[in-house]
Amino acid sequence: MSAPRVLVTVEQPLLRRIATPEALARLERLAESVTFNDADRAWDAAAVRERIGGMTAVLASWGSCTYDERLLDAAPDLEVICYAAGTIRSVAPPAVFERGVRVTHAADFIALGVAEHTLTVVLALLRCTGDFDAAMRAGRWRDIGPAVDRELYGKRYGIVGASKVGRRLIPLLRPFDVEVVVADPYLTASDAQRLGVSKLELPNLMRTSDVISIHAPVLPETHHMIDAGMLALIKDDAVLVNNARSALIDTDALVAELAKERFDCALDVFDEEPLPPDHPLMGMRRVLLTPHVAGLTPERRSRLMDAMLDELERHANGQPLRHEVTIDQLESMA
């Protein structure tokens, strides 16, 4: 196949975060031509339409426009969209696949970072790290009030959603000798066996797990899937983590339940971001908040463009893509 003609829609500030100078030099060597976005913000659909004629490949990332029918009409030569970010659903609707355009993304690389963050906050909450730190700074030695210091070993760990993150998390949990249970309607019995987990219905998982982390996609059927009734099932002194999407949990119901201080909770995603300083979550005990950073370590970011350049090179050489998305996968993707 011929060398690709590449349109890079990523704005300069983000491009500097996800692409090393070596990666950009590699892109120039790989491509017949490269057109960069020199602006400080991602191009909208109109800006992409003006520039995509004759291009065979697109390199995009967070903030990308949707490649709808009108945009695709302006891109008759487009062969592949390489998305240096996670979920592709808002970028590549079914029309993209129906036109024969291939789609690949970097969700696998982000997933490992999110899984590591999940384990980090679980251990921090179980071992009362924040409470001990605050007590020492206040001159109290080991005095953490009503907080309970406990361990992860031998517990039941519930994963809601056998997504890329959920599957990355499972091996990280093995050294702790936990029993892993998963709630996911798309998880087959053979997949569960291969992963070494047990499949449970969501209410049973919520009721019996010592730790629960949410890794499901946002779909019509998963919006507010963790509602007041599900939250009420959580065991006292359990841990709940959401690093996926805020829409999976009814925030009002969560705030009401957390006010009872029955269990610990770590949140990295919120209905409104940045989280307002006067939000009730800000002043709550037993709650660990992080600013939507679970998958975005500098090491992880710098690999995103490398991963997509690998895919672009495979496409140019007529090889299978390792992270290709199919139209059948759209329905269940995060």
Side-chain angles (χ1 to χ4, degrees), residues 16-284:
R16 288 192 291 268
R17 295 173 68 193
I18 66 173
T20 63
E22 293 78 13
L24 296 178
R26 178 188 174 195
L27 173 59
E28 296 280 6
R29 293 193 301 270
L30 174 63
E32 176 184 323
S33 65
V34 184
T35 299
F36 286 99
N37 176 358
D38 292 327
D40 289 337
R41 64 178 61 186
W43 280 329
D44 61 16
V48 173
R49 280 197 303 272
E50 291 176 5
R51 297 165 174 85
I52 202 169
M55 299 294 177
T56 60
V58 165
L59 282 173
S61 188
W62 288 284
S64 173
C65 64
T66 301
Y67 285 72
D68 58 14
E69 294 276 7
R70 186 180 176 197
L71 199 160
L72 293 169
D73 285 343
D77 299 324
L78 185 61
E79 299 173 1
V80 63
I81 297 173
C82 300
Y83 187 61
T87 177
I88 200 75
R89 293 183 73 207
S90 64
V91 177
V96 170
F97 301 88
E98 292 162 1
R99 296 280 184 112
V101 178
R102 304 177 76 184
V103 178
T104 184
H105 65 162
D108 278 334
F109 298 87
I110 298 170
L112 185 56
V114 178
E116 181 182 277
H117 180 93
T118 301
L119 180 57
T120 299
V121 297
V122 166
L123 292 172
L125 286 172
L126 285 172
R127 298 310 303 266
C128 299
T129 306
D131 293 300
F132 280 120
D133 177 75
M136 286 193 65
R137 292 175 188 275
R140 303 191 312 273
W141 184 255
R142 296 184 182 173
D143 177 12
I144 55 173
V148 179
D149 185 21
R150 55 233 190 266
E151 61 185 31
L152 180 57
Y153 283 95
K155 299 295 194 300
R156 170 175 278 195
Y157 194 113
I159 293 176
V160 181
S163 60
K164 292 181 183 295
V165 176
R167 292 170 187 246
R168 285 286 198 171
L169 178 61
I170 292 168
L172 300 184
L173 296 172
R174 297 204 193 285
F176 296 91
D177 195 26
V178 296
E179 176 194 4
V180 179
V181 295
V182 178
D184 187 327
Y186 295 96
L187 180 67
T188 65
S190 59
D191 274 346
Q193 183 176 20
R194 180 177 56 82
L195 292 170
V197 304
S198 300
K199 184 175 178 178
L200 293 183
E201 294 300 316
L202 182 59
N204 195 14
L205 181 148
M206 299 295 291
R207 183 184 301 109
T208 64
S209 297
D210 302 292
V211 180
I212 302 161
S213 55
I214 315 297
H215 307 291
V218 176
L219 306 170
E221 59 269 30
T222 62
H223 183 266
H224 285 187
M225 65 188 297
I226 310 299
D227 57 15
M230 289 293 176
L231 292 166
L233 296 176
I234 296 176
K235 296 164 61 173
D236 290 354
D237 291 327
V239 169
L240 174 67
V241 178
N242 185 17
N243 293 333
R245 294 289 185 270
S246 65
L248 298 169
I249 301 181
D250 181 336
T251 298
D252 291 340
L254 178 62
V255 168
E257 195 64 41
L258 290 175
K260 302 173 185 177
E261 299 185 359
R262 291 196 306 109
F263 57 82
D264 295 287
C265 182
L267 300 171
D268 188 58
V269 288
F270 309 93
D271 292 345
E272 183 179 354
E273 297 182 358
L275 188 66
D278 60 348
H279 195 282
L281 287 168
M282 289 291 205
M284 288 188 154

